């Protein structure tokens, strides 16, 4: 497994995002994730829409909504289309077993709902996001009322919780769902599935950023513009 390279730039992100956009078929209903790599996919899908591609899209955040509208992609909802053909989304880190950590953009709760509503979940990353074992902090969306309980629970699990604060705004980050984000550092995560289950059991946790057994295809982009496709059995 390729080690992370912090020097990787936008070329790999663009290559991965545009490669994934080629999987979108005419007449499909798609899910659009959030983040810088997914943004390249959204723009490429928009280019194809301008050329005649007919799709409907469910978005996972205000950011992806604005990008999709700007790209000319027609939007819909899960209420109207609960079964999606394909979803394209990024990740903050992927391990050798294809477990993901997401939530750097605080949209992971909606992203997980959309991912599990899809027949095919496609992940787009640059090669810096690949690692043998997860060690990225885990974003946790929490009901503000339960903040102290969740922080104590994370500590009992061996984690170090930190409330995420906003930039250019006083106070904590507020998600699109009106909740707080706690970033929990656990060091190297040896058992992502067990930690995922444990975090989900805490009252007040709305959603967390560990995604297990959900990715179907991963596109990895490299700084030379090449892309590797991994099909997950």
């Amino acid at each position: 497994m390729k080690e992370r390279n912090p020097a990787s730039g936008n070329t790999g992100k663009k290559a991965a995002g545009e490669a994934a956009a080629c999987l979108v078929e005419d007449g499909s209903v798609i899910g659009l994730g959030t983040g810088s790599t997914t943004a390249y996919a959204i723009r490429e899908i928009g280019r194809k829409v301008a050329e005649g591609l007919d799709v409907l899209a469910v978005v996972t955040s205000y950011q992806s909504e604005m990008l999709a509208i700007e790209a000319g992609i027609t939007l819909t909802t899960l209420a109207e289309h609960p079964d999606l053909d394909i979803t394209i989304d990024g990740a903050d880190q992927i391990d050798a077993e294809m477990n993901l950590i997401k939530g750097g953009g605080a949209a992971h709760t909606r992203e997980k709902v959309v991912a599990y509503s899809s027949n095919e979940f496609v992940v787009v990353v640059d090669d810096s996001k690949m690692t043998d074992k997860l060690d990225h902090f885990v974003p946790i969306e929490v009901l503000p009322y339960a903040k102290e309980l969740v922080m104590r629970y994370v500590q009992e699990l061996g984690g170090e919780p930190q409330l995420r604060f906003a930039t250019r705004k006083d106070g904590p980050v507020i998600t699109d769902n009106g909740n707080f984000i706690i970033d929990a550092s656990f060091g190297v995560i040896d058992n992502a599935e067990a930690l995922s289950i444990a975090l989900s059991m805490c009252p007040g946790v709305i959603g967390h950023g560990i995604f297990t057994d959900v990715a179907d295809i991963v596109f990895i982009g490299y700084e030379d513009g090449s892309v590797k496709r991994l099909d997950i059995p």
Side-chain angles (χ1 to χ4, degrees), residues 13-23 37 40-41 44 48 124:
K13 294 181 178 183
K14 185 174 187 291
E18 292 182 351
C22 293
L23 297 181
T37 309
Y40 286 110
E44 179 64 11
K48 293 176 180 293
V124 291

Side-chain angles (χ1 to χ4, degrees), residues 99-115:
N99 299 308
L100 320 177
I101 291 181
K102 295 174 49 54
H108 52 282
T109 299
R110 294 190 184 189
E111 288 172 337
K112 189 172 286 188
V113 170
V114 168

Side-chain angles (χ1 to χ4, degrees), residues 18 21 35-49 67-68 70-71 73:
E18 292 182 351
S36 56
T37 309
T38 310
Y40 286 110
I42 293 174
R43 294 187 185 101
E44 179 64 11
I45 293 167
R47 186 186 67 78
K48 293 176 180 293
V49 167
L67 284 171
E70 181 181 339
I73 301 170

Side-chain angles (χ1 to χ4, degrees), residues 156-171:
E156 292 172 354
L157 290 175
E160 298 179 3
Q162 185 173 6
L163 184 66
R164 188 185 299 184
F165 281 86
T167 58
R168 302 182 69 180
K169 170 193 173 296
D170 292 334

Side-chain angles (χ1 to χ4, degrees), residues 76-223:
T76 186
T77 66
L78 286 176
E80 295 171 294
H81 295 90
D83 298 312
L84 305 179
D85 295 302
I86 185 173
T87 287
I88 299 173
D89 204 352
D92 297 313
Q93 198 173 60
I94 305 179
D95 71 8
E97 297 179 350
M98 298 298 111
N99 299 308
L100 320 177
I101 291 181
K102 295 174 49 54
H108 52 282
T109 299
R110 294 190 184 189
E111 288 172 337
K112 189 172 286 188
V113 170
V114 168
Y116 278 88
S117 299
S118 301
N119 293 326
E120 194 168 54
F121 183 54
V122 180
V123 183
V124 291
V125 293
D126 65 80
D127 63 305
S128 71
K129 305 299 175 65
M130 306 302 295
T131 187
D132 287 330
K133 292 204 172 193
L134 300 176
D135 61 5
H136 192 279
F137 64 81
V138 180
I140 306 170
E141 182 168 358
V142 303
L143 193 70
Y145 186 74
K147 174 176 68 72
E148 297 302 327
L149 171 64
V150 176
M151 293 185 79
R152 185 168 69 247
Y153 188 85
V154 166
Q155 290 174 330
E156 292 172 354
L157 290 175
E160 298 179 3
Q162 185 173 6
L163 184 66
R164 188 185 299 184
F165 281 86
T167 58
R168 302 182 69 180
K169 170 193 173 296
D170 292 334
V173 166
I174 306 298
T175 71
D176 289 1
N177 304 314
N179 298 307
F180 291 169
I181 294 290
I182 290 174
D183 293 321
S185 297
F186 292 94
V188 175
I189 300 173
D190 290 315
N191 192 329
E193 184 177 7
L195 182 57
S196 172
I197 293 170
L199 289 173
S200 296
M201 291 176 65
C202 181
V205 170
I206 307 300
H208 61 75
I210 299 176
F211 287 52
T212 61
D213 195 29
V214 63
D216 295 301
I217 300 172
V218 177
F219 284 99
I220 307 168
Y222 296 88
E223 221 16 53

